Amino acid sequence: MANNNFMREAIELSRNNIREGKGGPFAAVVVKDGKVIARGTNLVTSTNDPTAHAEVVAIREACRVLGTFQLGGCELYTSCEPCPMCLGAIYWARPDKVYFANTHTDAAHIGFDDMFIYEEIALPIKGRKIPMVQMLREEALSAFWEWQKLQDKIHY
């Protein structure tokens, strides 16, 4: 069940992140059993890491704290609707629920427009702005076949 206090914490973290000059106005908290177990803010510009979005930072920390790569039993509160990268990370982490405050349209209005990524994903590979060229598929498939045969693999 949604808890306004958790969202307020994410919103306040997003404000503090701006004031501290660490990155954009985005923050997230991961909650398990009614307690915040991880926090994340946008650290893209302060770490020179384009993947250091608030949700990704929070997911990484929550997984470290819990000692697992999945967040079943957790909820994510984020100050803004997740971008495509964060949405992918969220689906891989598998939290029970995501709550968000601002929308992706709100973010676009202040210069954080990720619509071009949604559009690129829908295009055939040859139609994308960044050239993507497949090579050495047959050699790379050997790793897939090895994985497929592995008896004691951890499924995810």
Side-chain angles (χ1 to χ4, degrees):
M1 186 156 128
N3 183 313
N4 289 341
N5 291 328
F6 296 136
M7 184 60 77
R8 285 188 180 106
E9 181 170 348
I11 293 167
E12 187 58 27
L13 284 169
S14 73
R15 286 190 196 114
N16 289 339
N17 202 53
I18 300 165
R19 294 173 193 138
E20 294 171 6
K22 292 183 178 177
F26 306 99
V29 297
V30 178
V31 175
K32 185 173 177 97
D33 299 326
K35 294 179 182 159
V36 174
I37 61 163
R39 293 166 179 84
T41 59
N42 180 287
L43 301 174
V44 170
T45 58
S46 62
T47 62
N48 294 319
D49 180 354
T51 69
H53 288 203
E55 296 91 337
V56 172
V57 171
I59 287 168
R60 288 174 180 163
E61 178 62 12
C63 289
R64 187 192 67 74
V65 166
L66 295 174
T68 183
F69 55 86
Q70 293 184 346
L71 298 178
C74 295
E75 297 175 330
L76 178 71
Y77 289 78
T78 180
S79 64
C80 188
E81 182 179 0
C83 76
M85 177 184 68
C86 293
L87 188 60
I90 288 165
Y91 272 96
W92 282 115
R94 295 179 177 93
D96 291 355
K97 192 173 270 191
V98 175
Y99 300 97
F100 65 94
N102 294 315
T103 67
H104 72 275
T105 304
D106 296 329
H109 288 315
I110 63 164
F112 293 93
D113 190 357
D114 52 18
M115 189 51 68
F116 75 98
I117 299 172
Y118 288 107
E119 292 167 355
E120 285 286 304
I121 290 170
L123 292 174
I125 290 173
K126 291 185 190 261
R128 294 181 181 162
K129 288 185 177 102
I130 297 176
M132 298 191 180
V133 181
Q134 184 178 25
M135 56 188 289
L136 300 178
R137 178 174 180 258
E138 292 301 319
E139 288 182 40
L141 281 172
S142 66
F144 281 14
W145 306 143
E146 188 174 332
W147 171 260
Q148 190 175 30
K149 293 176 188 172
L150 194 63
Q151 296 297 312
D152 60 347
K153 63 185 163 231
I154 298 172
H155 292 275
Y156 57 98

